[in-house]
Amino acid sequence: MRWLRRQLPVVVPAVVLAAAFLLRIFDPGSIISNQQRTVFDYYQRFSPRAYEAAPVRIVDIDDESLAKLGQW
């Protein structure tokens, strides 16, 4: 019993980490993906980001510009 009490702070996190790792690898029925989407939807409903009008710029890169300046 003493061994268990001493090892409990190490064993419990190790088991939780192993379970999370296995769920991430095998992804049973995309349970994790569905939960992530659900939590994100709740965040967006309860605390949505304030709308800010952002200027939009369209950059058109043609073949002549690429030949002159290079790809990057």
Side-chain angles (χ1 to χ4, degrees), residues 47-60:
S47 181
R49 188 183 315 177
Y51 175 76
E52 295 177 13
V56 176
R57 298 190 180 175
I58 298 173
V59 178
D60 185 20

Side-chain angles (χ1 to χ4, degrees), residues 39-53:
V39 169
F40 181 76
D41 287 344
Y42 282 128
Y43 284 154
Q44 293 302 315
R45 284 187 201 138
F46 294 127
S47 181
R49 188 183 315 177
Y51 175 76
E52 295 177 13

